[in-house]
């Protein structure tokens, strides 16, 4: 069953969130306009590789501070041309705008373990609730792992725009890893080198959140932290992202021409908790469709052991995370989320 274009007026029971979670779900447009309270940091990357040492260090320090305090930020002047991000958005919206029978040609088969392709989300939680979204998911890097046969043929620019964007994101990712490595007192290559030999990968997920007739009862994406190392998100300027910061849900403002970046669990683990992987969720609304484009940069599933880097550990600050492969970490999280209490008192994954 797909949500887009279904025209229903009451949401099916399978989408209704547990009672204790609902009081925290408000009107996303009103919340985005609120001026008070904590705001997700905006980091201007213009000076990130400046020849002027002082300018460069100030910019890098801002990025590190946001990664320590929040683990999420709006990146502006990130170096990826607006013309390219506009193409990526147009291609994704074009795909979701097609008739259902066209999209179904790309349907994935979750039951058979084939997650790449088009689908709707079933949440991994004890109540078995569905999330209010349709999505298209596929691998974008390394290029020899990207199976172009399952990427949308329509719009015709989808493949070219998505590949070019993924390529340009690699350069941004390398810069961010370098800055975060420095912040741990390590040489710039340290974080990226950690998985370079083991074939890191990036996956791309286009998310489509249709208008919801009862947005106060549903979520587009339930509360979670990202398992990735880093996640980069574009969106169509419709608010929906909320972060669990200092015990409250904070709505991210829409910042023009920005890319949202999340620190994922992988970097939190390697940094022994210095950088945060923040709990977040997606809220839906009844007036506007929200679309987002996420690229998840991930370590190899089995090749390396995820654990705090030895340099981040000392007697006063012992390892906070047990050694696991990335695949084991994902499994551990799925089972942990089933017994997580409602999102009125979320517990970020330890």
């Amino acid at each position: 069953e797909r949500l887009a274009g279904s025209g229903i007026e009451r949401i099916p029971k399978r989408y209704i969130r547990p009672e204790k979670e609902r009081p925290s779900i408000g009107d996303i447009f009103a919340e985005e306009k609120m001026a008070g309270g904590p705001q997700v940091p905006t980091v201007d990357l213009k000076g990130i590789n400046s020849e002027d040492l002082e300018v460069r260090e100030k910019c890098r320090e801002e990025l590190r501070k946001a990664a320590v305090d929040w683990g999420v930020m709006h990146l502006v002047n990130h170096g990826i041309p607006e013309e390219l991000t506009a193409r990526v958005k147009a291609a994704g919206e074009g795909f979701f705008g097609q008739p259902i029978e066209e999209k179904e040609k790309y349907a994935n088969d979750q039951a058979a373990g084939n997650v790449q392709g088009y689908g709707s989300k079933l949440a991994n939680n004890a109540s078995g609730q569905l999330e209010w979204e349709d999505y298209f998911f596929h691998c974008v890097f390394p290029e020899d792992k990207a199976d172009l046969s399952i990427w949308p043929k329509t719009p015709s620019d989808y493949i070219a725009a998505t590949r070019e964007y993924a390529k340009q994101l690699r350069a941004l990712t390398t810069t961010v890893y370098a800055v975060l490595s420095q912040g741990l007192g390590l040489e710039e290559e340290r974080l990226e080198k950690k998985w370079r030999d083991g074939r890191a990968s990036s996956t791309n997920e286009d998310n489509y959140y249709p208008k919801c007739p009862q947005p106060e009862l549903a979520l587009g994406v339930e509360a979670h932290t990202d398992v990735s190392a880093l996640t980069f998100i574009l969106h169509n300027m419709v608010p929906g992202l909320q972060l669990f910061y200092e015990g409250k849900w904070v709505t991210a403002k829409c910042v023009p021409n920005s890319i949202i970046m999340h620190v994922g669990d992988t970097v939190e683990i390697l940094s022994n908790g210095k950088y945060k992987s923040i709990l977040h969720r997606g809220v839906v609304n009844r007036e506007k469709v929200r679309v987002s484009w996420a690229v998840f940069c991930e370590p190899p599933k089995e090749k390396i052991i995820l654990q705090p880097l030895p340099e981040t550990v000392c007697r006063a600050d012992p390892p906070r995370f047990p050694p696991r492969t990335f695949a084991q970490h994902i499994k551990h999280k799925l089972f942990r989320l089933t017994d997580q209490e409602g999102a009125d008192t979320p517990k970020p994954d330890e």
Side-chain angles (χ1 to χ4, degrees), residues 90-111:
E93 287 177 338
F95 172 77
F96 287 119
Q98 296 179 102
I100 186 77
E101 52 279 6
E102 281 304 308
K103 291 183 286 195
E104 285 294 352
K105 291 177 184 168
Y106 298 95
N108 59 15
D109 185 356
Q110 286 192 340

Side-chain angles (χ1 to χ4, degrees), residues 178-233:
V179 173
L180 295 180
S181 293
Q182 274 185 322
L184 297 171
L186 310 172
E187 67 273 15
E188 290 197 358
E189 292 79 46
R190 185 74 164 95
L191 280 175
E192 196 163 29
K193 213 161 62 185
K194 175 82 179 141
W195 43 74
R196 195 179 285 151
D197 311 334
R199 309 256 303 155
S201 63
S202 301
T203 53
N204 179 78
E205 183 166 284
D206 304 337
N207 300 294
Y208 183 93
Y209 306 99
K211 295 175 194 176
C212 179
Q214 295 172 293
E216 65 287 349
L217 298 179
L219 284 176
V221 184
E222 64 177 9
H224 66 287
T225 62
D226 286 0
V227 294
S228 60
L230 298 172
T231 304
F232 294 92
I233 298 173

